[in-house]
Structure formats: C-alpha cells, structure tokens
C-alpha cells in the first residue's frame, strides 16, 4: 500500500481534523500525497501539526463565520468528522455540533460549490444498546426516539439522514454525499477503548471475566477507518468527474453517493479475546485456567450496586457500569460486503498490529490510569 500511487483529489477540507479520527485521515492523506491542498478546520491545532497542512480555527455552529471560511477556501471536497466526545454526556453540545453543525457544513458546501462530502457516522445508529447484532448490514433500520437510549447516537443518526438527503438535491444536483459507519474504533491516539482496557490490567482485574466469552464483537483500527474515508472521497469525486464529462451515473448496485457503509476490520473477535490481546501486549501472563467467570446477571448486580454507592457518595463513575456489562456480553458485528464491492475497501492494518501499536502508543502518552509512569515517553516498552 505504501508504494501505491494515489490520484490527487484537489483541495480537501477535514472538519475535526485535530481529533482522533480526523488527525489519522489527515496523516493518511498526507502520506499518500492524495491532494493538491489540505485544510483542517477545528477549534484547536493538534499537539503535533502535520507539515504542509493548513490549519484554521472554525466553529461549525456559527454558520456565517463558517460560510466565510468556505468562501475563502474554495474546497473541492470535505470530510466531516467533527463531533464531541461521546462520553462527555452534554446533550445540548451534542445536538449543536452533531446536528446543527453538520447542517451548517452541508449548507456551506452547497453554497460554495464543493463537489463532494464524506460524513463520519457510527455503526451504533442501527443498535438499541441491548439487542444482539449478527452480521448486520445497511438494510437495518436506524434506531431513534424512545428505542435509542444513547442521545449521542440519536444525533449521529439525525446528522446522517440529513447528509444523505442532501445528495443530488433539486437545488444542488451535482453535490454528492456518502456516510461511513465505523464500529468501535481503536488505535494510536485512542482515549476511549485501549486506555480503559489497559487500566483494568494495571488494577489486576484480568483474572475476572463477565459472561462466557461466546459473543463476537467488531473492533476497528483507526487507520482502516481513515483508509475507508479516502476511498469514499475518491469514489465520489470520480463519479462527479465522470458525469461532468458527460458520462453516465453509476448503476444502483455500484453507486457510492447517497449511500451509507459499515466499516470494520472484517474480523469480529470474541469480546474478551480482544481485551486479553490488549493486556498481553502490555505484558499480561494470565492463563485461561486462572480466570474466574461471572454470569451476566451477577455482573449486572455488581455494577448496579457500584453505581448506587458511587452516586450516593458522589464519587464519579465506577470502574464497572451496567452499560459496560451489557456491551461485554452482547454480540455485535457487521457485514461489510457493500463497502468491499462499492468502495474497494479492505483493511490495511490487521487486528494484532493495531492492538500492538495502540497499546505502545497509550503507554507512551501516559494516558492509562495506574500505569507505571516510567513507561511514559518510552518508545520501546
């Protein structure tokens, strides 16, 4: 993949380009020289800006200011990743950024002649956080309203609906859009998946398992998600170029514009097998015969009691919550045949490579609660 030649896609704008996914997209596009100009719109610059990339402050919730930025940029395409962190729990901010901000980005694109937009959605839009998902595909309905307990997911679903409805509208028939739905992203720069998992290792919790570990789960390396965004962007722009030259629109079974795509590592794993691979990468030597298995019901009881105690004494969030028990014991994996066929998507980073790099990176950054601080800043743990 490193030696492959990529076609420059023109002036690309990445919203949220300083964040976890956005920064990986920027880094990947830069490594592939896949643009003539690359601009990041975010509230702040990353700790390590990528040379040659244009970074600009931008508030997506201020339409007039955003339009002014877009008018000056004259972008060819936009990758929209900007979103508050899921765990923040601020409903007003989630709606303002995920829904209103996305609508502002779409409108600014349309009014300044942007050709294409790839939107980052989430695989959770088809999940009620309780039911098992077995080989779920894009035909599954979005779960919203009273059936969706996660407000963050509601706002991501609303944003996705708007983005896809903005594809080839009567007023802007040449503006093309697509949405990608990654599942459980992890990797270098991760703050929500690998660091908490490693914290369990350093707290000595690797000898306890909740459930029988017979539930498959899709985890997705962040570089693969970035790769999928590049492919979707290239597909939309190729469609636009072909039609501008008088060519025909894609057939229904091959079109990318107006479509949503699940993105995974295409290798679902048993939930605790993933956790153990993370622990092993940090040095854990626990053997399966040493593991004490608790049933899901017992796990839920313990989590309920912990949540109650932590709430009564205002101690913050406990190490184990009922939601975590639910996810630990559920089956949740997706069919990515559509992304394979229409985007030409295949993972470029394996699960094990992604885990190894993600663990080393988390320890290097010192973001794991309970980790030995002498590992912080060391490249070779």
């Amino acid at each position: 993949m490193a030696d492959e030649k990529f076609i420059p896609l023109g002036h690309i704008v990445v919203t949220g380009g300083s964040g976890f996914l956005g920064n990986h997209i920027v880094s990947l596009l830069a490594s592939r020289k896949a643009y003539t100009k690359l601009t990041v719109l975010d509230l702040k610059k990353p700790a390590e800006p990528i040379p040659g990339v244009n970074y600009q402050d931008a508030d997506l919730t201020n339409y007039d200011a955003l339009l002014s930025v877009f008018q000056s940029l004259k972008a060819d395409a936009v990758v929209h990743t900007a979103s508050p962190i899921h765990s923040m729990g601020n409903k007003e901010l989630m709606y303002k950024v995920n829904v209103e901000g996305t609508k502002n980005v779409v409108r600014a694109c349309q009014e300044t002649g942007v050709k294409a937009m790839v939107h980052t959605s989430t695989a959770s839009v088809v999940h009620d956080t309780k039911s098992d998902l077995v080989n779920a595909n894009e035909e599954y309905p979005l779960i919203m309203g009273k059936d969706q307990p996660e407000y963050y997911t509601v706002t991501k679903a609303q944003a996705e609906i708007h983005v896809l409805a903005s594809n080839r509208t009567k007023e802007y028939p040449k503006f093309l859009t697509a949405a990608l739905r990654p599942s459980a992203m992890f990797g270098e720069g991760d703050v929500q998946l690998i660091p908490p998992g490693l914290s369990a290792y350093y707290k000595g919790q690797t000898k306890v398992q909740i459930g029988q570990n017979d539930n498959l789960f899709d985890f997705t390396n962040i570089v693969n998600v970035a790769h999928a965004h590049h492919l979707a962007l290239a597909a939309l722009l190729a469609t636009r170029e072909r039609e501008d030259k008088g060519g025909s629109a894609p057939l229904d079974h091959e079109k990318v514009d107006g479509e949503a795509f699940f993105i995974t590592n295409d290798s679902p794993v048993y939930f605790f097998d993933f956790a153990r691979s993370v622990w092993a990468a940090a040095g854990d030597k626990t053997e399966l015969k040493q593991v004490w298995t608790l049933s899901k019901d017992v796990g839920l009881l313990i989590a309920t009691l912990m949540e109650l105690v932590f709430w009564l004494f205002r101690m913050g969030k406990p190490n184990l919550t009922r939601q975590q028990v639910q996810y630990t014991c559920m089956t949740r994996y997706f069919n990515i045949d559509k992304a394979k066929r229409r985007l030409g998507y295949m993972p470029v980073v394996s699960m094990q490579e992604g885990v190894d790099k993600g663990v080393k990176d988390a320890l290097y950054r010192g973001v794991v609660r309970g980790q030995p601080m002498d590992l912080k800043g060391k490249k070779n743990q």
Side-chain angles (χ1 to χ4, degrees):
M1 181 64 67
D3 297 329
E4 189 173 339
K5 299 295 182 183
F6 295 94
I7 299 172
L9 302 177
H11 184 183
I12 307 303
V13 171
V14 181
T15 71
S18 297
F20 178 38
L21 173 60
N23 191 52
H24 275 278
I25 292 172
V26 172
S27 178
L28 189 72
L29 292 176
S31 70
R32 294 174 172 179
K33 298 179 175 59
Y35 52 82
T36 55
K37 184 177 181 181
L38 183 58
T39 297
V40 165
L41 299 184
D42 212 319
L43 294 175
K44 63 182 187 335
K45 289 184 179 180
E48 298 180 10
I50 296 169
V53 174
N54 173 36
Y55 290 90
Q56 291 197 27
D57 295 341
D59 179 359
L60 307 186
T61 65
N62 183 336
Y63 179 70
D64 290 337
L66 185 67
L67 179 62
S68 178
V69 171
F70 268 77
Q71 287 172 333
S72 67
L73 291 175
K74 296 179 173 57
D76 292 294
V78 170
V79 180
H80 179 46
T81 75
S83 177
I85 297 174
H86 179 203
S87 58
M88 289 180 65
N90 186 330
K91 288 188 174 182
E92 183 180 355
L93 181 64
M94 288 178 185
Y95 186 84
K96 199 168 182 62
V97 176
N98 287 347
V99 181
E100 294 180 355
T102 298
K103 289 181 178 180
N104 286 344
V105 172
V106 168
R107 184 179 164 196
C109 285
Q110 292 171 325
E111 294 186 357
T112 59
V114 172
K115 300 173 185 176
M117 173 177 167
V118 176
H119 171 68
T120 307
S121 184
T122 170
S124 296
V125 294
V126 300
H127 194 211
D128 61 7
T129 77
K130 303 180 189 71
S131 307
D132 288 339
L133 287 178
V134 179
N135 212 31
N137 62 27
E138 291 80 3
E139 298 299 317
Y140 279 49
L142 301 183
I143 305 297
M144 300 173 67
K146 62 180 176 59
D147 297 322
Q148 180 53 263
E150 288 287 341
Y151 186 71
Y152 172 87
T153 305
V154 171
T155 63
K156 293 298 285 185
Q158 290 174 324
E160 179 187 302
I161 289 171
H162 181 76
V163 170
L164 297 183
S166 301
N167 182 67
R168 298 182 187 270
T169 62
K170 183 177 180 180
E171 190 173 2
Y172 300 100
K174 292 188 174 184
F175 179 58
L176 306 181
T177 67
L180 302 188
R181 300 171 176 174
S183 172
M185 297 184 291
F186 73 95
E188 295 171 274
D190 182 1
V191 295
Q192 298 189 79
L193 196 56
I194 286 183
L198 284 174
S199 182
Y201 164 58
Y202 287 111
K203 290 177 181 176
Q205 298 172 345
T206 62
K207 290 184 172 64
V208 178
Q209 172 184 302
I210 300 175
Q212 298 303 312
N213 194 33
D214 56 1
N215 53 308
L216 289 171
F217 206 97
D218 261 327
F219 299 93
T220 316
N221 182 261
I222 193 71
V223 176
N224 292 328
V225 181
H227 174 56
H229 280 74
H230 182 190
L231 293 175
L233 200 62
L236 291 180
L237 289 170
T239 296
R240 172 66 184 267
E241 182 179 15
R242 184 170 65 249
E243 293 180 16
D244 283 348
K245 292 179 178 179
S248 59
L251 299 174
D252 284 347
H253 70 274
E254 61 185 15
K255 70 192 291 280
V256 172
D257 66 276
E259 300 291 327
F261 300 88
F262 285 115
I263 303 297
T264 73
N265 253 61
D266 200 26
S267 54
V269 296
Y270 292 115
F271 191 93
F272 268 94
D273 286 4
F274 178 81
R276 291 193 180 101
S277 71
V278 169
W279 298 334
D284 184 41
K285 305 296 183 185
T286 302
E287 298 180 13
L288 286 178
K289 62 184 179 183
Q290 299 174 287
V291 176
W292 183 31
T293 300
L294 301 177
S295 70
K296 178 181 177 181
D297 289 342
V298 170
L300 286 171
L301 176 60
I302 294 172
T304 301
L305 293 173
M306 289 181 68
E307 288 180 355
L308 178 60
V309 170
F310 273 62
W311 177 77
L312 286 173
F313 293 96
R314 299 182 180 181
M315 297 164 61
K317 185 178 178 181
N319 295 333
L320 186 68
T321 66
R322 285 170 292 177
Q323 185 185 51
Q324 288 171 333
V325 173
Q326 291 280 9
Y327 271 89
T328 296
C329 298
M330 72 174 51
T331 295
R332 188 182 126 130
Y333 65 98
F334 302 88
N335 184 318
I336 63 166
D337 285 352
K338 183 178 177 183
K340 290 179 180 178
R341 290 193 312 268
R342 302 194 192 186
L343 300 179
Y345 170 76
M346 290 293 288
V348 294
V349 175
S350 70
M351 188 70 73
Q352 191 60 56
E353 180 186 354
V355 167
D356 290 343
K357 288 183 175 180
V359 168
K360 287 181 179 179
D361 169 74
L363 295 175
Y364 173 77
R365 289 182 289 128
V367 295
V368 179
R369 293 177 64 182
Q371 78 170 78
M373 278 299 103
D374 62 344
L375 294 180
K376 183 177 179 179
K378 289 189 176 180
K379 284 291 186 183
N380 298 306
Q381 288 89 8

